Amino acid sequence: MSRRFGRLFAGMATTSMVLGLTMAGAGTALAADQAYSTTTTLTYTCNYPLIGENLLDVTATFQGPDAVSGGGTFQAHTVTAVATVPADVVSALYFLGGIDGVRGTADASVAVSGGSPATVNVTDLGVAEQFVADPNAPFPVNAAQTSSTVVPAITAGATGQTLTASLGETFSASLDFHYTNATPEWQGPEAFDCTLNDGQTPAFSPSLTIG
């Protein structure tokens, strides 16, 4: 892949995903934000163009309140994600298919315990136009919340419970891919779907105590 494709996957992958939570409940004081992140790099299996299934490493973080009252409502903000394409996949896409860039949108889900809804669907994260810098190196793709991104609010459970968010077992993207040897150079959109590999812990840390 070229530099251009490398920049794109960095946009999806920074695949650390950031979810920010802002207190919004009536009668509930605003709390200070703190960072929440996945504790490990998560490996997904995805359907790449031309080469089929292969791996993608994802990390995610979010900003959220450091305190929430029972029944209080908060909403994610400043959502971002970083997905890193392995070097061998970057090389195969670049040298076999001439793919060196990507752009589009991504959708992901977050499982919630100690709050509702049980599943929060974050849609239309922006994957800005990005290109591969080195076709023989991993390609990080960054995705970030934009004015078009939809992030549903969460309502905390009862006082004394713990609220925990976990990155979903699947995510998807609608992507255009840039080809160095085709006309038009940008082609798509194509569905890009990924599934979490077994044996991993996708929870964000820390958990949030409901006061």
Side-chain angles (χ1 to χ4, degrees):
M1 293 185 172
S2 79
R3 289 180 303 190
R4 290 174 283 189
F5 185 54
R7 295 176 204 145
L8 168 58
F9 269 99
M12 287 181 62
T14 290
T15 128
S16 325
M17 180 181 292
V18 176
L19 294 178
L21 304 179
T22 301
M23 296 299 299
T28 302
L30 292 177
D33 277 357
Q34 70 177 11
Y36 296 81
S37 63
T38 49
T39 57
T40 61
T41 297
L42 301 172
T43 300
Y44 287 75
T45 296
C46 307
N47 63 317
Y48 288 91
L50 304 178
I51 65 173
E53 291 190 346
N54 216 306
L55 303 179
L56 181 71
D57 291 334
V58 176
T59 58
T61 65
F62 67 84
Q63 294 289 318
D66 60 6
V68 60
S69 299
T73 300
F74 56 88
Q75 188 172 17
H77 69 84
T78 319
V79 178
T80 67
V82 176
T84 301
V85 183
D88 60 336
V89 176
V90 177
S91 295
L93 291 174
Y94 181 80
F95 292 111
L96 296 178
I99 297 176
D100 73 340
V102 62
R103 66 187 183 190
T105 60
D107 302 332
S109 65
V110 175
V112 176
S113 64
S116 61
T119 301
V120 174
N121 294 309
V122 179
T123 60
D124 286 342
L125 286 173
V127 179
E129 188 173 293
Q130 299 166 65
F131 295 90
V132 170
D134 182 349
N136 296 304
F139 177 26
V141 176
N142 298 303
Q145 184 175 356
T146 70
S147 60
S148 299
T149 304
V150 177
V151 184
I154 297 172
T155 300
T159 299
Q161 290 185 323
T162 299
L163 192 150
T164 301
S166 300
L167 196 59
E169 293 188 0
T170 62
F171 73 87
S172 62
S174 178
L175 300 175
D176 297 330
F177 291 93
H178 186 271
Y179 291 79
T180 61
N181 55 2
T183 302
E185 294 181 344
W186 286 102
Q187 297 188 21
E190 293 188 33
F192 185 78
D193 301 309
C194 300
T195 301
L196 182 69
N197 291 357
D198 292 337
Q200 301 180 88
T201 303
F204 289 93
S205 179
S207 295
L208 183 61
T209 299
I210 303 172

